Amino acid sequence: MHEMALSESILGILQEQAAAQNFARVKRVRLEVGPLAGVEIEALRFSFEVVSRDTIADRAELEIIETEGQAWCLPCGETVAVTQRYDPCPKCGSFQLQVTGGDEMRIKDLEVD
Ligand SMILES: [Zn+2]
């Protein structure tokens, strides 16, 4: 399950931050996830809970902010909103789309003690 690997990398970042900024506990993690990132939110929540057990992020709340997917449509020559990777252009129905945003996952901020 790739959400498990993602959770481990999130936890790794939290531990680095804790060492650098000298905090002992993470209370809340705000995570931005794009709709095209291929992340299953429920699976991510579950695996984060598992990997963070007995760590600085034990019982930390995972707040997921879903960002918008964006793609460049070649026939239209403009940026359009998409919700899935293989969606057609909402304006012209073309599949000649180049994803330009919404395929990333990043930690937006943390609430710590
Ligand atoms: Zn189009």
Side-chain angles (χ1 to χ4, degrees):
M1 182 165 69
H2 104 129
E3 281 76 11
M4 197 57 99
L6 287 174
S7 295
E8 277 165 3
S9 69
I10 294 168
L11 185 63
I13 294 167
L14 298 180
Q15 283 165 334
E16 273 169 30
Q17 293 282 313
Q21 295 175 36
N22 237 341
F23 56 78
R25 263 190 61 73
V26 179
K27 291 197 294 186
R28 183 200 296 249
V29 181
R30 291 214 295 169
L31 207 61
E32 279 188 342
V33 181
L36 314 175
V39 176
E40 232 187 286
I41 305 292
E42 282 320 304
L44 185 67
R45 280 188 195 286
F46 172 76
S47 55
F48 184 73
E49 206 181 298
V50 172
V51 301
S52 64
R53 203 163 286 161
D54 298 321
T55 70
I56 54 158
D58 197 1
R59 279 186 281 273
E61 191 188 327
L62 199 58
E63 189 181 325
I64 312 273
I65 301 160
E66 292 187 64
T67 60
E68 213 177 64
Q70 282 189 338
W72 174 258
C73 175
L74 210 60
C76 290
E78 57 182 291
T79 297
V80 294
V82 289
T83 53
Q84 285 173 47
R85 191 166 283 275
Y86 299 107
D87 266 2
C89 171
K91 291 187 175 168
C92 71
S94 160
F95 284 93
Q96 287 175 277
L97 297 180
Q98 176 93 47
V99 171
T100 55
D103 56 351
E104 65 284 300
M105 183 189 85
R106 67 181 193 101
I107 295 173
K108 189 171 165 64
D109 51 37
L110 303 175
E111 211 176 286
V112 299
D113 256 348

